[in-house]
Amino acid sequence: KAMTFEEPDRRTILDSAKRIESFGNYWVAFSMLRRELGETSYHEEIRAALRVAENVAPPDGYRRIWNLRPAGVLNLNIDRLASRSHNELSRGANLTEFSSRDVGSHTHVLNSPSPWVYNLHGKLDDVKSWVFTNEELKAITEDPAYQVFIRTALVSSTVLFVGVSADDIAVGGHLEFLSRAGISQGPHFWLTDRVDLQTDRWAEAAGVLAIRYRVVGGDHTELDEALDDLATFIPQEDLAEPQPVMPAVALPVVDLKEP
């Protein structure tokens, strides 16, 4: 966009772009990007970057997640690949899908026998549902309906974090809140390739058990194997044949005929 302007405006925009690119906090960086690009260009650039997801096959990792038969998926992507993967695996099966804008009317899915997908950061085709900027994050995290849903899910379910930083403020903040409040919520599990001590200490304090796997040259094969093992695991108690209950002493004979 800067190349379409003359100096000094071109230099001003390029300097802004360089400053945004080096900013460490992505939420604030997206706020700056939205302001500098302009509303229309901001939306169209994001759509253009992610539009390819509309025509590609969902990554195999989503199939592995659905094979675990989860009650629902808290999805942090906006490309709807998680929902498409479920629909391809279970054609015709019911799937409830919603975003943060209408989470208040979907709290009932936590008790539903049908699976659900909560698109926390919105859906690509609905710009009003997007959560990328610091202002949007603040609005969602301060929404009572959002807080109730996430915290209820954390308390009532066992959560497996995959492909996400559990200590990110959007997720970790709720874990820390429940931990500080003395509310038992777990444990939850976090499949991660992070092996630093700081991450482990945070996870232990937040009620999360880290399950570590190795990544070699960008290869996440160990993660795929872990998900496959979880899907095929059968507890030992389920393998044993149930034994009939036998009375320890002879039971008295009871005459049920009318006198």
Side-chain angles (χ1 to χ4, degrees), residues 7-76:
E7 297 290 358
D9 293 335
R10 176 183 299 180
R11 176 50 46 193
T12 299
I13 295 176
L14 288 173
D15 289 344
S16 295
K18 188 176 297 185
R19 186 170 66 254
I20 294 170
E21 188 176 24
S22 63
F23 207 86
N25 186 315
Y26 290 147
W27 299 104
V28 177
F30 265 80
S31 295
M32 298 165 64
L33 190 64
R34 182 176 184 173
R35 182 174 60 252
E36 295 293 337
L37 270 178
E39 201 76 7
T40 303
S41 293
Y42 171 82
H43 290 149
E44 288 306 310
E45 285 299 321
I46 291 177
R47 280 200 187 102
L50 298 177
R51 192 168 287 132
V52 64
E54 297 176 351
N55 299 310
V56 299
D60 208 37
Y62 284 113
R63 176 188 60 78
R64 289 186 163 91
I65 290 173
W66 286 117
N67 282 343
L68 299 178
R69 299 179 297 279
V73 171
L74 295 166
N75 183 30
L76 295 175

Side-chain angles (χ1 to χ4, degrees), residues 20-256:
I20 294 170
E21 188 176 24
S22 63
F23 207 86
N25 186 315
Y26 290 147
W27 299 104
V28 177
F30 265 80
S31 295
M32 298 165 64
L33 190 64
R34 182 176 184 173
R35 182 174 60 252
E36 295 293 337
L37 270 178
E39 201 76 7
T40 303
S41 293
Y42 171 82
H43 290 149
E44 288 306 310
E45 285 299 321
I46 291 177
R47 280 200 187 102
L50 298 177
R51 192 168 287 132
V52 64
E54 297 176 351
N55 299 310
V56 299
D60 208 37
Y62 284 113
R63 176 188 60 78
R64 289 186 163 91
I65 290 173
W66 286 117
N67 282 343
L68 299 178
R69 299 179 297 279
V73 171
L74 295 166
N75 183 30
L76 295 175
N77 298 322
I78 72 169
D79 49 31
R80 296 194 66 251
L81 288 171
S83 302
R84 285 180 49 207
S85 174
H86 178 274
N87 294 336
E88 291 181 7
L89 283 170
S90 306
R91 295 187 184 278
N94 184 54
L95 177 72
T96 303
E97 186 179 10
F98 55 97
S99 57
S100 294
R101 191 172 56 180
D102 50 6
V103 63
S105 59
H106 286 86
T107 308
H108 67 277
V109 301
L110 292 171
N111 295 318
S112 172
S114 300
W116 46 268
V117 173
Y118 175 6
N119 297 299
L120 286 95
H121 291 176
K123 296 184 292 184
L124 182 60
D125 57 0
D126 182 6
V127 298
K128 292 184 178 179
S129 70
W130 293 0
V131 180
F132 285 137
T133 68
N134 198 46
E135 295 79 14
E136 290 163 344
L137 176 65
K138 186 173 186 293
I140 183 180
T141 54
E142 292 180 354
D143 180 5
Y146 165 83
Q147 294 176 0
V148 167
F149 188 99
I150 297 297
R151 292 172 186 178
T152 301
L154 290 172
V155 170
S156 63
S157 305
T158 297
V159 179
L160 176 66
F161 296 98
V162 182
V164 62
S165 296
D167 57 346
D168 186 284
I169 185 174
V171 178
H174 297 284
L175 294 168
E176 292 171 0
F177 170 85
L178 293 170
S179 181
R180 288 194 305 268
I183 299 174
S184 178
Q185 48 161 321
H188 302 302
F189 300 91
W190 180 14
L191 278 168
T192 178
D193 62 341
R194 289 169 59 173
V195 294
D196 58 287
L197 185 59
Q198 182 179 356
T199 295
D200 184 75
R201 286 175 175 168
W202 176 89
E204 291 287 348
V208 178
L209 292 177
I211 304 173
R212 295 178 178 84
Y213 66 92
R214 293 171 300 172
V215 177
V216 180
D219 183 0
H220 290 258
T221 299
E222 285 195 5
L223 172 60
D224 295 338
E225 293 173 350
L227 291 173
D228 287 340
D229 287 344
L230 282 172
T232 57
F233 174 74
I234 301 176
Q236 287 299 313
E237 57 268 24
D238 291 348
L239 294 174
E241 287 290 332
Q243 297 299 315
V245 177
M246 303 297 293
V249 297
L251 297 177
V253 176
V254 179
D255 187 356
L256 299 179

